[in-house]
Amino acid sequence: MIEQLEELKTRALEELARIQDLDRLEEWRITYLGKRSELNQILRGIGTLAPADRRTVGQIANDVKSVLEGESAARRAQLEQIAREAEIARERVDVTLPPRPIARGQCHPLSLITEEIVAAFRALGYDVVEGPEVEWDKYNFEMLNIPAEHPARDVWDTFYVKTTDGIPQGQVVLRTHTSPMQIRVMQARRPPIRVIVPGRAYRYEATDATHESEFYQIEGLAVDEHITMADLKGTLTAFAHAVFGPERRTRFRVDFFPFVEPGAEMAIDCHACRGSGCRICKNTGWIEIMGAGMVHPKVLEGVGYDPAKYTGFAFGMGPERVAMLKYGIDDIRLFKTNDLRFLQQFR
Ligand code: YSA
């Protein structure tokens, strides 16, 4: 039996030395150390031996068992280490490879120009407010001194919104300009007021290179005691210098809007030809950029302000047109076609 144990030990250790993977090692364990292994049978049979042999054989059998257990544990540790190293080698990442470029989004040119215009007015102390695009006729026209049937309504080709819930037809419009926000702001606040209102406006107009039926406007309003036309000119000239450059000259000429008196149109000298006349300025040397004026006393009265105490100025411009002038874009429709070759030029 002692010989059998020695032979078993030698055989098991030789086999163990040849094992190269963990599955095979498990098979080996079952064969040599498992419940039904030869060694286990010997151990179980020890009780049947003569008492004198029992001790010696038991001692040797237990030694064989602990040698096999120790050696197989060492082999297992070795094989696990090899497997780990192989896995690490398989998953190796070459950190020196250049990364794939990340596609970055960017702001739309209209967002950029709007931010630039808004920043110019913020620097002058203006708040930014926004208002509804679906508007009451009362704010879009009536309270801006444009009563029903007034010929000035023809200037704004209006989309009327179908109404329900007992609201009479013709009372709700898609705002044709951002000017109704003048009324909403004056009703909600008391002077001094200085606000700038970017937002969408809608007109029932045929689309061409300079017109869309859905476009943006940026409205401005300042109301306080002692505001004069000089404040209007100073403010709008500061804006033109901030957005178009400090060397720009400005020109104010009389214009008519029912909600201002006097009304003005503001132009800047053409940046392309420096005022000498070219295709962009239609040979006039000047480019018109916005409507403006002193808030009409009737408009002030309409919101409960005393025109003897308060005066103010207002203005409205189209950021698409400002962007077109600044960047030399010749068709307003380019802003909406989503052509990346166009959009990626503005960062
Ligand atoms: C005037 C005086 C004030 O005290 C305050 C505001 C105004 C502006 C007035 N509410 C208004 O809407 N004037 S406007 O009809 O001449 O439009 C102003 C600007 O909006 C235009 O200069 C143009 O840049 C832009 N715009 C108008 N219709 C457009 C358009 N842009 C693109 N497509 C259209 N269909």
Side-chain angles (χ1 to χ4, degrees):
M1 203 169 247
I2 292 170
E3 268 167 34
Q4 189 190 348
L5 280 166
E6 286 302 332
E7 187 276 328
L8 174 67
K9 180 174 145 194
T10 314
R11 184 160 34 97
L13 289 177
E14 276 172 11
E15 249 179 61
L16 183 63
R18 285 196 297 272
I19 286 177
Q20 296 300 340
D21 66 75
L22 288 162
D23 289 344
R24 276 288 301 122
L25 181 66
E26 181 58 12
E27 285 169 20
W28 179 94
R29 191 192 62 76
I30 293 164
T31 311
Y32 290 101
L33 292 166
K35 262 197 196 136
R36 286 197 241 151
S37 63
E38 202 179 331
L39 181 61
N40 213 26
Q41 275 162 21
I42 295 172
L43 282 165
R44 269 199 253 139
I46 284 173
T48 62
L49 295 177
D53 298 335
R54 237 183 254 166
R55 236 185 113 171
T56 331
V57 176
Q59 175 88 49
I60 293 171
N62 276 323
D63 285 351
V64 170
K65 188 177 181 195
S66 69
V67 167
L68 294 188
E69 278 173 350
E71 289 298 310
S72 70
R75 187 73 187 135
R76 175 174 297 279
Q78 256 176 8
L79 290 175
E80 279 173 353
Q81 172 72 9
I82 291 167
R84 246 194 322 275
E85 278 166 12
E87 192 175 341
I88 289 168
R90 245 195 334 272
E91 291 181 356
R92 213 169 90 92
V93 177
D94 184 350
V95 291
T96 65
L97 277 178
R100 286 197 198 107
I102 298 168
R104 285 180 65 179
Q106 64 183 79
C107 283
H108 190 278
L110 282 180
S111 303
L112 293 176
I113 198 77
T114 302
E115 268 171 33
E116 207 176 322
I117 295 168
V118 165
F121 285 102
R122 266 190 196 280
L124 298 172
Y126 282 67
D127 285 349
V128 182
V129 292
E130 289 181 302
E133 293 171 19
V134 179
E135 186 55 285
W136 296 104
D137 174 279
K138 179 174 82 165
Y139 290 125
N140 196 79
F141 294 123
E142 293 274 343
M143 295 186 77
L144 288 168
N145 198 28
I146 316 171
E149 315 306 333
H150 190 288
R153 286 214 181 192
D154 294 347
V155 179
W156 289 282
D157 293 303
T158 311
F159 286 114
Y160 285 88
V161 176
K162 262 198 187 149
T163 46
T164 53
D165 299 336
I167 300 167
Q169 297 302 320
Q171 296 295 297
V172 180
V173 300
L174 291 185
R175 67 178 178 191
T176 57
H177 50 177
T178 42
S179 300
M181 278 305 288
Q182 291 187 30
I183 307 297
R184 286 182 176 273
V185 169
M186 284 193 283
Q187 282 182 338
R189 300 184 181 193
R190 304 301 299 171
I193 290 171
R194 275 165 189 65
V195 291
I196 190 96
V197 188
R200 278 198 189 85
Y202 302 83
R203 290 186 197 172
Y204 184 56
E205 274 183 21
T207 299
D208 63 24
T210 51
H211 294 84
E212 285 272 20
S213 50
E214 181 199 338
F215 56 97
Y216 285 89
Q217 283 197 338
I218 297 181
E219 190 85 8
L221 174 71
V223 183
D224 203 346
E225 293 180 32
H226 313 302
I227 287 201
T228 69
M229 195 83 184
D231 298 309
L232 179 158
K233 284 185 76 174
T235 303
L236 296 184
T237 301
F239 146 77
H241 288 171
V243 174
F244 289 99
E247 67 290 349
R248 287 278 73 76
R249 287 182 297 136
T250 52
R251 184 188 71 179
F252 294 84
R253 292 204 305 193
V254 173
D255 200 350
F256 173 75
F257 299 96
F259 35 95
V260 284
E261 183 56 38
E265 149 228 295
M266 178 197 175
I268 53 171
D269 62 333
C270 177
H271 57 291
C273 63
R274 312 242 152 218
S276 62
C278 68
R279 193 180 63 90
I280 292 177
C281 60
K282 299 194 185 94
N283 278 320
T284 62
W286 295 95
I287 294 172
E288 196 191 309
I289 55 169
M290 68 174 100
M294 300 302 292
V295 181
H296 199 292
K298 277 195 184 164
V299 173
L300 293 171
E301 273 168 5
V303 293
Y305 290 6
D306 177 1
K309 185 171 181 198
Y310 294 115
T311 50
F313 64 82
F315 53 89
M317 69 184 102
E320 285 94 339
R321 300 261 177 94
V322 175
M324 288 168 82
L325 292 173
K326 184 161 173 160
Y327 301 123
I329 298 163
D330 56 10
D331 197 322
I332 197 170
R333 290 165 288 200
L334 285 166
F335 291 118
K336 291 227 194 107
T337 41
N338 249 348
D339 184 338
L340 289 183
R341 290 167 306 175
F342 170 72
L343 295 173
Q344 281 172 344
Q345 296 174 57
F346 307 92
R347 287 190 184 262

